[in-house]
């Protein structure tokens, strides 16, 4: 459970190959690979899918549909010379409109983006609701909330009426966000920066609370877990 | 078939941001318009109810904090904010109830391109398949104990149906749970001031989170500090000491007496409490000093405080490793949402003692409790059972007698007969015939070794995860979810006798072609000819395992044979904390049997044989201390409707499909079969839950080729059908590999 290497697991069954993300090895010389499940939440139409597509696929389109058939997008992020980070960005699916997320969605996530649309005040008001829902459904193994970054999206269309920077800082402090960014999926502003910032926080958590090796005996029902143990008759 | 092809494009276009109702494809008749307008008027007041939380809470807590930030700069914001958009009024399939069969059907329909609306009148997923945190379970108990009689059905829907229509009203109150009795045996050192850390008391989802954050950080500190002492207790001898020292400690602990006296059934001072951080810190520092050289004594307030570590299932089931549910999870790739643990021990209860049953070949040979002769006998018999059909001469003569009598004629000691009958075949002593017993034994053996040394898997975080996994799958393919959304009635066309719509609690009419309804939603009127069975359930939180062994992290299943003839056998499943269902140093014990009387009457004798109540241990000075102590317990009866034939409901339209609640069996085959049968009846041409494409194979069309509707395009005809098709083909291969590997085992 800890750290998330195992956490989100199985990038789509047999095909993805993201199962191979070997957990962090503490030996200094070895290269490390992390798989992090990151949630992208916020009201309908704030640009969650746009942000993911911009970040993962370097695409932007005005014409995204509601998110169909996609659980998460995978971004491979070479972190430093010895560390590779695989980010699973989980978009919220058809439940989003009415806010009834399954626990499956939140389970074992290690970080989150909470997105609002600077052009629509109501989406900012919903931020606290989303953050609370998040904290009530998922915790780090040590019991603390997962790091969440607030994204003020569509900043390319910003008017002057929104909260100013110091108000945002205070809001983040009060609301338990680790930080905030003004982003634009359209103009590709600050999205990479926000992701790096979140990953820094996730890695810091991992360092502070290393894996407890609580994972012994956990099974994913993928092909690779169908290990041929001796069955009764075949001996 | 194109994976992405959706028959009705409009399902994919999100509702426009404004409060206007979704554009209807059909020319709207006058009645229809009225209904829509009505919904529109209700939006501001009613929609927050769509959410998990009532709006007053939000106003109190949320608005204050938000206004700090917002007032000066943005006065345009009015509360409550718009939180949900209008629900579309047209779907292909409406599914009512979020239990396992309904969720599988919803996923299958959504996967095959249907527009699915999935609603539940409760505020949680799963219905009687749900699992709860401790505080969640307490609210559930309260709800079911305080339930008032089925109230006057609201009749507002009557004004909303047309002349040529008739309404079938649905139940508002769930009546499937009865005789709920809960008991607290753990000492309540500070009963008035504890609350689950970060409690999602259902009503307060909107509350601002800073409070929660503080609470959480306190616990995490406490956890860090108690860690060393827990390490100490890992030694094997301290483990054996565990129950005794707890008992002694209990006797010393005067605070415990409070707990004793306040254990009247139905007592519930625990779920309406207000957090008091100061008190909590006090009690925590106290427990830390205690933990210095003794195993932790668990108090009620600790259980409450760590309540989120509990995931307590209303039904207790396991997955047969070659059962239908495992196959479906793998085939549909829904398995990616879940993780499992092997059940590690099969136990037997004989002559008042709990022992481990050797069932794999390695177990048999390593067993210390069996003699060499017994080992050979058992091996010979089990090997025969694996392909008993090939040796008809061995059982033909006794085909008609009971399996238990048959076992007596085999070369097996009474000990082995007991193991095979109760723990391996898990069949009744009195009315299971030889063939069925052999089949049950064979099934058990065939499931061995696929994932481990027992035939069973348990989902981490509880069985309640499984319906949610299918719901997520449904949602990923566009299904829309509304909890706390009740349905007033089904609307049936008088002429065609088909159901054409539902009317929800807002009075919105939602039309569809197919309706799947969990049977607890049916009112008594249409169930007059239906009689139900009942399941007796007990859930215990205990401080130790029923069979101590080298590891304290065991998941065990035990069949308790009937103590007197005519009683049903009881299935007991004991879960440890690493199954993510209970807090550290506790065990979650589920007991299940078919009901004769109330759950407590059916199960308490067995509970008494295996466990002691904290009170007993105190008075007897630890004499009973070898048995694990019960910290908290609840008993209840659950309705088992799995045997009800659809024909016994009066006047159901043919396009209304009925799902039952959980059955009493250990596995999940019943629910899977039901779901698949209903899906095939609805869509005979469609494949049932084929694997979804790999997310990495999905190609986004970012070219913006869609002409109109800026913001959210409809799914137009230029969908990249080729790409997804290609991806399904690619999927085929790993799936086949998987299959081969299965066969290879």
């Amino acid at each position: 459970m800890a750290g998330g290497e195992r956490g989100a697991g199985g990038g789509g069954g047999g095909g993805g190959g993201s199962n191979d993300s070997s957990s962090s090895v503490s030996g200094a010389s070895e290269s490390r690979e992390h798989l992090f499940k990151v949630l992208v939440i916020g009201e309908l139409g704030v640009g969650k899918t746009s942000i993911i597509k911009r970040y993962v696929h370097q695409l932007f389109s005005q014409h995204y549909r509601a998110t169909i058939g996609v659980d998460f997008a995978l971004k491979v992020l070479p972190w430093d010379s010895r560390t590779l980070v695989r980010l699973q960005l989980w978009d919220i699916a058809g439940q989003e409109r009415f806010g009834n997320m399954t626990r499956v969605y939140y389970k074992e996530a290690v970080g989150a983006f909470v997105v609002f649309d600077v052009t629509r005040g109501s989406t900012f008001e919903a931020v606290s609701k989303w953050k609370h829902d998040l904290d009530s459904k998922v915790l780090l193994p040590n019991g603390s909330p997962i790091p969440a970054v607030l994204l003020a999206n569509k900043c390319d269309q910003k008017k002057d009426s929104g909260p100013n920077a110091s108000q945002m800082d205070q809001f983040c402090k009060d609301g338990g966000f680790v930080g905030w960014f003004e982003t634009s999926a359209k103009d590709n502003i600050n999205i990479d920066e926000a992701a790096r910032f979140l990953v820094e926080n996730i890695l810091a958590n991992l360092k502070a609370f290393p894996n407890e090796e609580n994972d012994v005996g956990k099974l994913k029902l993928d092909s690779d877990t169908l290990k041929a143990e001796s069955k009764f008759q075949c001996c | 078939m194109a994976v992405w092809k959706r028959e009705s494009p409009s399902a994919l276009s999100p509702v426009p941001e404004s409060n206007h109702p979704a554009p209807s494809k059909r020319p709207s008749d006058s009645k229809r318009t009225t209904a829509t307008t009505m919904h529109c008027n209700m939006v501001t007041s009613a929609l927050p109810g769509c959410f998990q939380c009532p709006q007053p809470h939000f106003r109190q807590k949320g608005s204050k904090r938000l206004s700090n930030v917002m007032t000066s700069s943005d006065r345009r914001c009015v509360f409550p904010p718009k939180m949900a958009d209008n629900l579309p009024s047209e779907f292909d399939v409406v599914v009512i109830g979020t239990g396992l069969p309904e969720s599988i059907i919803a996923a299958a329909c959504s996967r095959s391109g249907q527009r699915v609306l999935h609603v539940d009148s409760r505020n949680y997923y799963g219905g009687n398949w749900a699992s709860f945190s401790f505080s969640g379970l307490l609210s559930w108990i309260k709800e079911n104990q305080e339930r008032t009689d089925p109230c006057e059905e609201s009749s507002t829907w009557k004004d909303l149906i047309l002349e040529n229509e008739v309404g079938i009203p649905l139940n508002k109150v769930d009546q499937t749970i009865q005789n709920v009795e809960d008991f607290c045996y753990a000492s309540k050192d500070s009963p008035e001031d504890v609350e689950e850390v970060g409690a999602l008391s259902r009503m307060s989802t909107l509350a601002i989170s800073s409070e929660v954050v503080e609470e959480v950080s306190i616990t995490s500190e406490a956890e860090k500090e108690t860690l060393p002492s827990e390490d100490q207790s890992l030694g094997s001898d301290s483990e054996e000491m565990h129950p005794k020292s707890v008992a002694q400690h209990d006797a010393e602990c005067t605070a415990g007496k409070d707990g004793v006296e306040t254990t009247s059934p139905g007592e519930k001072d625990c779920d309406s409490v207000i957090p008091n951080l100061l008190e909590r810190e006090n009690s925590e520092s106290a427990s830390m000093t205690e933990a210095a050289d003794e195993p932790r004594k668990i108090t009620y307030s600790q259980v409450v405080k760590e309540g989120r570590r509990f995931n307590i299932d209303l039904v207790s089931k396991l997955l047969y490793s070659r059962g239908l549910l495992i196959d479906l999870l793998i085939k549909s790739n829904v398995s990616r949402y879940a993780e499992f643990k092997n059940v590690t021990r099969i136990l037997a209860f004989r002559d008042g003692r709990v022992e481990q049953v050797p069932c794999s070949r390695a177990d048999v040979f390593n067993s210390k409790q069996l003699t060499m002769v017994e080992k050979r006998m058992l091996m010979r018999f089990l090997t025969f059972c694996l392909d008993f059909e090939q040796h008809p001469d061995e059982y033909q003569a006794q085909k008609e007698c009971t399996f238990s009598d048959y076992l007596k004629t085999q070369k097996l000691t009474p000990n082995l007969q007991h193991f095979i009958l109760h723990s391996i075949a898990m069949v009744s002593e009195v009315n299971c015939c030889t063939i069925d017993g052999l089949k049950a034994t064979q099934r058990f053996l065939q499931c061995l070794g696929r994932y481990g040394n027992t035939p069973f898997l348990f989902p981490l975080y509880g069985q309640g995860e499984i319906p949610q996994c299918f719901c997520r799958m449904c949602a990923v393919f566009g299904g829309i979810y509304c909890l706390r959304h009740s349905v007033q009635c089904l609307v049936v066309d008088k002429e065609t006798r088909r159901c054409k719509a539902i009317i929800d609690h807002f009075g919105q009419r939602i039309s569809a072609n197919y309706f799947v309804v969990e049977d607890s939603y049916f009112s008594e009127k249409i169930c007059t000819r239906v009689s139900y069975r009942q399941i007796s359930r007990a859930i215990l939180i205990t401080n130790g395992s029923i069979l101590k062994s080298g590891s304290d992290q065991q998941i065990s299943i035990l069949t308790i044979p009937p103590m007197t003839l005519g009683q049903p056998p009881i299935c007991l499943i004991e879960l440890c904390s690493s199954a993510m269902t209970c807090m550290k140093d506790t065990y979650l014990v589920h007991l299940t049997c078919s009901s004769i009387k109330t759950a407590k009457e059916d199960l308490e004798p067995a509970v008494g044989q295996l466990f002691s109540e904290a009170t007993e241990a105190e008075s007897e000075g630890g004499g009973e201390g070898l048995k694990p102590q019960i910290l908290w317990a609840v008993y209840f009866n659950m309705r088992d409707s799995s045997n009800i034939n659809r024909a016994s409901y009066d006047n159901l339209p043919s396009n209304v499909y009925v799902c039952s609640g959980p059955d009493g069996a250990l596995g999940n085959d019943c629910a899977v079969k039901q779901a698949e049968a209903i899906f095939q009846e609805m869509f005979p041409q469609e494949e049932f839950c084929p694997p979804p494409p790999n997310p990495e194979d999905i190609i986004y069309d970012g070219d913006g080729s869609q002409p109109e509707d800026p913001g959210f395009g409809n799914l137009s005809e230029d969908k990249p059908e080729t790409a997804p098709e290609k991806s399904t083909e690619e999927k085929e291969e790993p799936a086949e590999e998987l299959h081969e590997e299965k066969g290879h085992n």
Side-chain angles (χ1 to χ4, degrees):
Chain A
M1 172 168 180
E5 274 93 351
R6 191 72 193 91
S18 49
N19 285 329
D20 59 353
S21 60
S22 54
S23 310
S24 54
V25 184
S26 49
S29 60
E30 291 182 64
S31 65
R32 292 183 293 183
E33 214 173 285
H34 298 291
L35 179 65
F36 294 139
K37 174 173 174 180
V38 170
L39 309 176
V40 184
I41 54 182
E43 293 294 274
L44 178 67
V46 296
K48 298 178 294 295
T49 308
S50 298
I51 287 173
I52 293 174
K53 286 179 181 165
R54 166 61 82 184
Y55 184 56
V56 176
H57 306 278
Q58 287 83 43
L59 291 173
F60 179 81
S61 163
Q62 301 276 4
H63 308 297
Y64 290 127
R65 324 180 159 103
T67 318
I68 296 290
V70 188
D71 245 325
F72 55 81
L74 188 71
K75 170 83 174 182
V76 180
L77 191 63
W79 187 252
D80 56 34
S81 57
R82 291 184 292 113
T83 316
L84 189 70
V85 171
R86 289 164 178 268
L87 283 186
Q88 274 187 350
L89 295 153
W90 284 56
D91 209 339
I92 59 183
Q95 300 119 313
E96 64 182 297
R97 278 190 232 174
F98 304 98
N100 297 312
M101 306 302 298
T102 53
R103 230 166 47 96
V104 172
Y105 173 76
Y106 285 108
K107 191 167 63 180
E108 319 224 321
V110 294
F113 291 113
V114 183
V115 188
F116 72 97
D117 173 352
V118 291
T119 65
R120 284 188 294 145
S122 64
T123 66
F124 178 65
E125 289 157 37
V127 158
S128 297
K129 182 264 299 181
W130 280 106
K131 178 68 163 67
H132 184 266
D133 199 33
L134 175 72
D135 290 340
S136 68
K137 295 224 176 91
V138 63
L139 292 175
L140 292 176
N142 66 37
S144 55
I146 66 171
V149 171
L150 184 61
L151 301 184
N153 195 36
K154 304 194 188 176
C155 69
D156 53 290
Q157 302 172 40
K158 198 184 172 194
K159 299 165 214 150
D160 300 330
S161 55
N164 64 32
S166 68
Q167 285 169 328
M168 285 296 288
D169 285 340
Q170 189 58 40
F171 179 81
C172 284
K173 210 176 146 211
D174 296 343
F177 290 94
V178 295
W180 65 281
F181 288 85
E182 279 189 333
T183 55
S184 163
K186 189 170 169 230
D187 297 344
N188 197 13
I189 298 169
N190 265 345
I191 291 176
D192 289 343
E193 289 78 0
R196 283 198 82 80
F197 179 76
L198 182 61
V199 172
E200 275 167 22
N201 277 277
I202 294 170
L203 285 169
N205 276 329
L206 199 60
K207 232 177 199 169
F209 310 103
N211 255 345
E212 285 176 31
E213 282 317 319
N214 208 355
D215 292 350
V216 187
K218 276 192 194 179
L219 293 170
K220 292 292 284 189
L221 302 186
D222 296 328
S223 49
D224 57 334
T225 53
L226 291 175
K227 48 189 176 246
E229 277 182 51
S230 71
K231 208 183 145 191
F232 189 82
Q233 78 266 42
C234 56
C235 346
Chain B
M1 181 201 66
V3 192
W4 301 109
K5 175 118 184 184
R6 315 227 355 151
E7 261 137 41
S8 317
S10 68
L12 297 178
S13 60
V15 179
E17 294 296 336
S18 66
N19 268 353
H20 297 299
S24 165
K25 288 194 300 187
R26 299 183 318 191
S28 50
D29 56 67
S30 63
K31 190 73 184 181
R32 193 183 154 77
T33 325
T34 329
T36 333
T37 326
M38 177 156 176
H39 174 65
C40 221
N41 294 338
M42 295 173 76
V43 160
T44 29
S45 62
L47 266 181
C50 251
F51 244 100
Q52 291 179 339
C53 23
Q55 128 197 20
H57 218 110
F58 180 78
R59 282 199 166 143
Q60 286 161 9
K61 285 194 148 178
S63 59
K64 208 191 280 171
R65 184 169 304 276
L66 275 172
S67 58
N68 289 344
V69 184
M70 299 299 294
T71 39
S72 55
S73 58
D74 192 349
R75 291 191 181 273
R76 289 167 309 156
C77 299
V78 260
F79 296 100
K82 180 168 70 75
M83 259 170 288
D85 298 77
N86 286 351
L87 198 55
S89 322
E90 231 184 282
F91 288 88
D92 298 315
V93 183
V94 171
V95 183
I96 304 172
T98 53
L100 184 57
E102 304 95 273
S103 300
I104 295 174
I105 293 168
C109 291
S110 173
R111 178 70 188 85
S112 76
Q114 307 299 321
R115 298 167 301 168
V116 176
L117 173 66
H118 198 174
V119 299
D120 199 309
S121 63
R122 305 163 179 100
N123 55 1
Y124 50 85
Y125 281 96
N128 281 347
W129 302 79
S131 63
F132 294 103
S133 72
F134 190 67
S135 74
L137 185 63
L138 292 179
S139 340
W140 179 86
I141 289 170
K142 198 172 180 181
E143 229 166 78
N144 280 287
Q145 284 171 338
E146 291 174 357
R147 189 183 49 227
T148 46
D149 290 326
C151 50
E152 16 39 85
E153 62 191 40
S154 84
S155 50
T156 52
W157 58 268
K158 285 183 179 148
D159 310 329
L160 297 168
I161 59 173
L162 303 172
E163 268 171 33
N164 59 347
E165 294 170 345
V166 53
I168 301 178
L170 295 185
N171 251 354
K172 285 212 158 138
V173 187
D174 180 4
Q175 295 171 75
T176 56
I177 305 294
Q178 287 175 318
N179 309 319
V180 186
E181 302 174 74
D182 62 327
F183 304 91
C184 177
Y185 302 102
S187 72
K188 291 193 170 182
D189 45 7
S190 46
E192 298 301 331
D193 55 3
V194 250
E195 187 180 72
E196 190 170 294
V197 175
L200 175 61
S201 63
R202 296 242 157 63
M203 298 302 145
S204 66
T205 327
L206 282 184
I208 291 283
S209 58
S210 62
E211 225 179 351
V212 175
V213 175
E214 281 170 75
E215 290 168 25
V216 164
S217 64
I218 286 167
T219 346
S220 62
E221 272 167 39
E223 271 175 12
K224 271 182 278 166
E225 286 172 59
T226 47
L227 217 58
S229 68
E230 275 156 10
D231 287 347
Q232 285 165 18
S233 68
L234 283 178
S236 60
D237 46 357
S238 74
E239 204 163 0
E240 276 164 34
M241 291 292 294
H242 189 109
K244 210 168 183 180
S245 52
V246 167
Q248 281 163 354
H249 183 83
D250 232 2
E252 287 159 22
C253 179
T254 46
K257 283 184 185 145
D258 287 347
V260 176
E261 274 152 25
T262 51
T263 53
S264 59
E267 186 229 13
K268 204 97 12 35
D269 53 356
C270 22
D271 35 355
S272 57
V273 289
I274 301 150
N276 182 329
L277 292 180
L278 210 71
E279 284 278 3
R280 185 171 308 142
E281 276 175 310
N282 287 344
S283 76
E284 239 157 47
S285 56
S287 71
M288 267 183 265
T289 40
E290 281 168 17
D293 36 13
E294 277 182 36
R296 267 171 73 192
K297 173 180 171 291
I298 310 288
T299 62
Y300 182 71
S301 60
Q302 282 170 307
V303 171
V304 171
K305 197 165 46 190
E306 295 274 306
R308 286 184 67 183
R309 306 270 176 196
F310 289 89
N311 284 295
I312 305 172
D313 286 316
L314 296 183
V315 280
S316 173
K317 286 181 178 293
L318 296 174
L319 284 77
Y320 278 90
S321 67
R322 289 181 193 278
L324 296 178
L325 184 54
I326 294 268
D327 288 347
L328 177 62
L329 285 166
I330 293 175
K331 175 190 170 199
S332 62
N333 214 350
V334 172
S335 60
R336 77 170 93 168
Y337 301 129
E339 284 184 296
F340 297 85
K341 279 212 166 188
N342 250 302
V343 171
T344 54
R345 300 188 300 191
I346 311 287
L347 303 179
F349 188 64
R350 190 164 178 251
D351 304 330
R353 278 182 53 233
V354 177
E355 19 182 357
Q356 187 166 353
V357 176
C359 44
S360 72
R361 189 186 174 89
D363 281 355
V364 172
F365 280 109
N366 292 331
S367 166
K368 285 177 191 141
Q369 73 223 63
L370 300 183
T371 66
M372 271 317 282
V373 180
E374 278 183 316
K375 286 180 186 178
R376 256 182 242 132
M377 286 174 173
L378 187 57
M379 281 303 299
R380 191 204 67 82
F381 184 77
L382 295 182
T383 312
F384 152 71
C385 286
L386 257 176
D387 53 356
F388 74 92
E389 294 99 332
Q390 311 296 317
H391 312 281
D393 43 308
E394 302 232 17
Y395 62 92
Q396 262 328 324
Q398 289 114 316
K399 233 168 121 179
E400 302 303 320
C401 65
T402 64
F403 187 53
S404 59
D405 286 339
Y406 171 73
L407 289 175
K408 285 174 197 150
T409 68
Q410 301 296 302
K411 288 191 186 114
L412 295 165
T413 60
N415 198 21
L416 294 179
Q417 289 173 32
H418 182 97
F419 284 174
I420 294 164
L421 183 68
H422 297 295
S423 302
I424 294 180
M426 294 185 284
V427 295
S428 156
E429 195 166 353
V430 285
N431 54 19
C432 174
C433 71
T434 302
I435 299 284
D436 288 348
L438 287 170
K439 277 186 186 155
T441 311
Q442 184 184 47
R443 183 181 189 207
F444 182 101
L445 296 170
Q446 283 170 343
C447 289
L448 279 177
R450 184 176 193 184
Y451 296 108
N453 281 330
T454 73
F456 306 110
L457 292 182
F458 180 79
L460 291 186
Y461 302 98
Q463 167 85 25
E465 287 295 290
I466 305 291
Q468 292 192 47
C469 291
F470 284 97
C471 291
R472 167 74 186 170
M473 159 97 160
C474 173
V476 162
F477 283 91
I480 289 183
Y481 278 79
C482 296
L483 302 182
R484 277 180 144 249
H485 200 102
S486 41
V487 174
Q488 294 192 52
C489 73
L490 305 172
V491 180
V492 182
D493 189 293
K494 274 181 186 164
E495 268 170 41
T496 60
R497 285 302 303 158
R498 284 177 69 83
C499 183
K500 49 200 254 193
I502 58 167
I503 292 176
D504 72 6
H505 57 162
F506 298 134
Q508 184 181 357
R509 173 187 281 249
I510 298 165
S511 61
N513 298 323
Y514 302 94
F515 300 83
V516 179
V517 185
E518 197 246 307
D519 60 16
S520 70
Y521 287 86
F522 286 136
S523 70
E524 278 166 24
K525 268 185 202 157
I526 60 169
C527 300
T528 47
R529 291 181 294 140
V530 178
S531 67
Y532 298 105
R533 294 184 297 203
Q534 296 283 331
I535 302 169
S536 287
R537 291 274 293 118
I539 300 167
L540 321 172
I541 298 170
T542 71
N543 71 347
S545 173
I546 49 171
L547 180 63
K548 307 263 177 329
S549 68
S551 162
D552 62 354
Q553 295 298 308
Q554 304 271 8
I555 302 177
S556 315
I557 173 169
L558 165 65
T559 311
I560 306 168
M563 278 179 259
T564 54
L565 221 63
Q567 289 262 307
I570 296 166
C571 176
L572 179 151
I573 294 171
E574 182 187 81
L575 303 166
C576 59
S577 60
S578 66
M580 305 302 195
T581 54
C582 53
M583 65 182 279
K584 225 170 181 168
D585 301 321
T586 65
Y587 292 83
L588 188 65
V589 180
H590 289 282
L591 293 98
T592 310
C593 71
S594 44
S595 302
I596 306 288
K597 298 177 194 157
T598 70
K600 183 155 176 278
E601 289 169 306
D602 287 341
L603 296 170
E604 204 177 32
V607 169
Q609 291 212 326
L610 287 162
F611 304 94
S612 66
E613 295 163 8
T615 57
E616 259 174 57
E618 272 174 7
S619 57
E620 293 171 27
E624 287 283 321
L626 286 174
K627 290 182 190 172
Q629 288 179 6
I630 307 169
L631 304 169
W632 184 87
V634 63
Y635 295 88
F636 59 89
N637 290 86
M638 182 185 286
R639 195 171 87 180
D640 173 4
S641 54
S642 60
N643 62 332
I644 308 294
N645 190 324
R646 190 184 186 286
S648 18
Y649 297 105
D650 293 322
N651 285 325
L652 271 194
S654 60
N655 60 340
V656 173
Y657 300 86
V658 186
C659 289
S660 73
D663 62 331
L666 179 62
N668 295 276
D669 285 7
C670 176
V672 177
K673 274 185 199 155
Q674 193 176 76
E676 183 161 7
I678 290 175
F679 179 77
Q680 297 299 4
E681 214 181 308
M682 289 159 68
F683 305 104
Q685 308 300 321
E686 294 286 330
E687 194 184 346
F688 180 59
C689 289
N694 191 326
E696 283 146 52
D697 296 337
I698 291 167
I699 295 164
Y700 294 101
D701 56 335
D703 55 5
S705 59
Q706 287 138 308
E708 85 277 333
D709 193 11
F712 297 94
N714 280 356
L715 177 62
S716 48
E717 278 61 49
D718 62 351
K719 268 243 96 175
E721 276 171 30
T722 45
E725 253 169 358
K726 185 166 143 260
S727 72
T728 10
E729 278 162 33
E730 282 169 12
K731 263 324 270 185
E732 230 70 284
E733 282 181 49
E736 247 156 40
E737 271 168 42
L738 192 90
H739 185 71
E740 270 168 40
E741 239 176 293
K742 268 189 267 169
H744 182 68
N745 274 345

